[in-house]
Amino acid sequence: MPAPRIAPSILSADFGRVREQVREIVDAGASVVHIDVMDGHFVPPLSMGPPVVSALRELDVLLDVHLMIDHPERQIADFVKAGANQITIHAEATPHVHYTLAAIRDAGCLAGLALNPGTPVGALEGIELDCALVMTVNPGWGGQKFIPTSLEKVRRVRELIGPDADLEVDGGVDASTAGPCAEAGATLFVAGSAIFGTDDPVAAYAEIAAAAGA
Ligand code: DX5
Ligand code: ZN
């Protein structure tokens, strides 16, 4: 299985100084940064787009772009151009999942497929991907509580995708939920409020990393 990594989500960062905040966590060891893109349709809020990806490109990290948008196939080229390294789309967001993941890979990025809490694991069947993302809350907002039944889903997803792909968990991941997620087969741990919502993001990062075995 891939080595465990933490992906701090900038959704909970201070947008007035997001690059400095991310740099502190990168200096503390983070090699992935998670960027949540929301369109006001697939999920109610609006968040950020390609310019934010460009603004973080100067950091030496994997930029993990999570597209919570309808028709992601229309936006892939812009995110690739902005410097994304991994792009994850939602299984529920387009009838063209296979096509879109192939387009992401053809553009030289890693391709991920995300499942909402209510989306069956079978949505991953027959799809070649680098990362399966299990939403452990409903998408759209940071700071929600981890849905406990997600752990069983993570186990089933790990069985389905085999040992080689990353399995990302997103939502409510903190020092208490990261360990059980790792045991269930997760390798990439998104944490937003549990890092940037605290007084000491570097210490919080270290605690979650230790819990995840990263
Ligand atoms: C939610 C986003 C998450 C969010 C997680 O829709 O996909 O990446 O930032 O936030 P926390 O870690 O606070 O649950
Ligand atoms: Zn996310």
Side-chain angles (χ1 to χ4, degrees):
M1 291 218 291
R5 292 171 297 170
I6 309 301
S9 163
I10 62 167
L11 191 64
S12 293
D14 173 355
F15 277 32
R17 51 182 292 270
V18 66
R19 196 159 47 195
E20 294 110 275
Q21 278 202 323
V22 171
R23 204 185 297 274
E24 282 171 19
I25 303 296
V26 170
D27 289 346
S31 59
V32 182
V33 174
H34 186 83
I35 301 167
D36 287 303
V37 178
M38 306 183 189
D39 65 352
H41 295 274
F42 182 72
V43 290
L46 287 165
S47 63
M48 52 196 113
V52 176
V53 177
S54 307
L56 296 175
R57 187 56 287 170
E58 67 178 58
L59 301 170
D60 184 21
V61 287
L62 184 139
L63 295 180
D64 173 30
V65 175
H66 178 193
L67 296 181
M68 285 163 276
I69 65 174
D70 282 325
H71 295 296
E73 63 275 14
R74 298 176 189 166
Q75 310 292 335
I76 300 307
D78 285 351
F79 282 99
V80 170
K81 205 166 147 208
N85 301 109
Q86 171 159 296
I87 300 178
T88 297
I89 64 163
H90 268 260
E92 316 83 0
T94 174
H96 307 296
V97 165
H98 189 280
Y99 164 85
T100 309
L101 292 174
I104 293 168
R105 291 182 134 196
D106 287 350
C109 288
L110 299 169
L113 186 62
L115 303 181
N116 273 341
T119 303
V121 168
L124 294 164
E125 252 168 77
I127 306 269
E128 207 182 331
L129 40 74
D130 301 294
C131 180
L133 189 161
V134 174
M135 285 304 307
T136 44
V137 299
N138 283 290
W141 300 271
Q144 301 180 76
K145 208 169 140 8
F146 185 88
I147 299 172
T149 51
S150 308
L151 288 175
E152 187 45 41
K153 191 169 188 180
V154 169
R155 269 184 215 106
R156 284 190 289 127
V157 167
R158 177 50 79 192
E159 261 172 44
L160 186 67
I161 64 175
D164 295 337
D166 260 313
L167 198 168
E168 186 168 19
V169 282
D170 186 1
V173 174
D174 59 19
S176 68
T177 52
C181 285
E183 274 164 35
T187 50
L188 190 52
F189 303 80
V190 178
S193 56
I195 293 178
F196 294 114
T198 67
D199 292 340
D200 189 347
V202 167
Y205 165 81
E207 228 183 297
I208 297 167

